[in-house]
Amino acid sequence: MSKLVRDLMHPGVFTCQPDAYLGQVAVLLTQHKVHALIVVDREGRPIGIISDYDLLAGEWLSVDDESLSTMRNLTAQDLMSYPVDTIESDMPVGKAAHILIEKDVNRLLVTENNKPVGVISTTDFVANIAKEETPKRETVADVMSDAILVCRGKTPIVSAARTLMGAGWRSVLVVDAKGKHLGVVSGKDLMPFVENGVDESLTVRDVLHPAMTININASLREAADLMIQKHHHRLVVIDDEDPEAFPLGIISSFDIVAEMARPGSIWQS
């Protein structure tokens, strides 16, 4: 029997009111350790979704007092995406994966009889791949992204945030002058500056987190296991024979979901 969305989804929905300030949204995202909140009206009906990526769209990293003051007064309703993409809980997993890819989104609100019952995200798909008894035996090299968004450790975090927005990426790899990876900066690393602004002297080296690495010849099962165990959405791909060399690529949870949606994969058979 093919798996359904209800089998993979994360039950329950984390919400916020449309008049929640961005600083409050940042606190809720951090407290619940999630990437997005469903924005609901007074009757609890979903009217939009706001993610950590949406917060990066604003000019809250500006050091200009007037701009920062304006951003502090913005609410979830000002930056949320709408309408909310929804799917029914009895939809087959393969079809849900196709929808994620086609819509280029990271999560979908799951409903039953038009009532929200949970959320399914790329992480949920990856978690289930890790549990498969007979996963497709392909390697990291087959699905990784060869292109890498990089910056030097001395790059100001304001510049890094603007680069992330311009490129449409969720993280940037930080390297030294010789190309050795120092760590990764993602939207979550920048979240603490939403409420209080940022010191313009701060660089990405001050906020980066250590990069999780994986060998290019590792299996997708190994990559999925590592992502779930370490709560990472992406891994830096290296050659174990020369780990200090410039990274070979990046593999993310979204890359694995794309493999799930590919015709001929174990999820589509």
Side-chain angles (χ1 to χ4, degrees):
M1 180 181 295
S2 62
K3 292 187 177 180
L4 304 178
V5 167
R6 67 167 65 94
D7 300 320
L8 271 66
M9 74 176 192
H10 185 83
V13 180
F14 293 110
T15 66
C16 72
Q17 296 294 311
D19 58 356
Y21 290 113
L22 300 189
Q24 295 172 314
V25 171
V27 169
L28 289 171
L29 288 170
T30 303
Q31 287 179 341
H32 295 307
K33 297 181 180 180
V34 295
H35 288 284
L37 301 171
I38 302 298
V39 184
V40 298
D41 61 19
R42 292 182 179 179
E43 286 71 39
R45 295 172 298 195
I47 59 174
I49 186 169
I50 186 165
S51 68
D52 51 4
Y53 192 76
D54 293 321
L55 295 185
L56 295 183
E59 290 296 329
W60 51 266
L61 284 176
S62 173
V63 296
D64 176 76
D65 289 339
E66 184 176 351
S67 296
L68 184 57
S69 177
T70 299
M71 288 304 299
R72 281 176 172 164
N73 288 319
L74 290 181
T75 65
Q77 189 168 21
D78 295 318
L79 290 185
M80 71 180 187
S81 300
Y82 61 90
V84 182
D85 292 312
T86 64
I87 55 174
E88 281 291 305
S89 63
D90 59 356
M91 177 181 289
V93 166
K95 186 175 181 180
H98 273 299
I99 293 175
L100 278 172
I101 300 300
E102 291 172 356
K103 289 183 173 291
D104 192 22
V105 295
N106 292 307
R107 61 195 58 81
L108 297 165
L109 180 63
V110 182
T111 60
E112 288 184 359
N113 299 319
N114 296 319
K115 293 183 179 180
V117 294
V119 173
I120 189 167
S121 69
T122 53
T123 301
D124 297 315
F125 286 103
V126 173
N128 208 62
I129 285 182
K131 297 177 182 177
E132 281 294 300
E133 294 182 357
T134 56
K136 186 175 179 65
R137 296 189 178 281
E138 299 221 26
T139 66
V140 167
D142 296 319
V143 300
M144 73 179 191
S145 299
D146 294 294
I148 310 174
L149 186 64
V150 300
C151 71
R152 292 279 296 277
K154 62 182 180 181
T155 302
I157 64 172
V158 174
S159 297
R162 290 173 178 164
T163 299
L164 285 172
M165 285 304 305
W169 287 47
R170 296 179 65 85
S171 65
V172 57
L173 180 67
V174 183
V175 300
D176 64 14
K178 295 183 178 180
K180 177 182 177 181
H181 63 85
L182 303 176
V184 175
V185 173
S186 66
K188 278 194 171 182
D189 296 314
L190 302 177
M191 294 298 288
F193 305 104
V194 173
E195 188 170 15
N196 300 315
V198 61
D199 182 343
E200 59 182 318
S201 66
L202 288 177
T203 66
V204 291
R205 188 187 287 269
D206 298 315
V207 300
L208 61 76
H209 63 270
M212 293 297 303
T213 62
I214 192 164
N215 182 40
I216 189 171
N217 295 316
S219 67
L220 289 184
R221 173 63 178 268
E222 292 175 283
D225 280 339
L226 188 57
M227 287 182 188
I228 299 306
Q229 292 169 6
K230 302 299 183 180
H231 302 288
H232 275 56
H233 285 275
R234 58 199 60 82
L235 304 172
V236 176
V237 182
I238 62 171
D239 182 350
D240 279 350
E241 295 182 1
D242 190 8
E244 300 297 311
F246 190 83
L248 301 173
I250 295 284
I251 183 169
S252 69
S253 54
F254 196 80
D255 295 324
I256 297 179
V257 170
E259 169 60 22
M260 292 172 64
R262 182 182 62 80
S265 75
I266 60 172
W267 291 87
Q268 306 302 319
S269 59

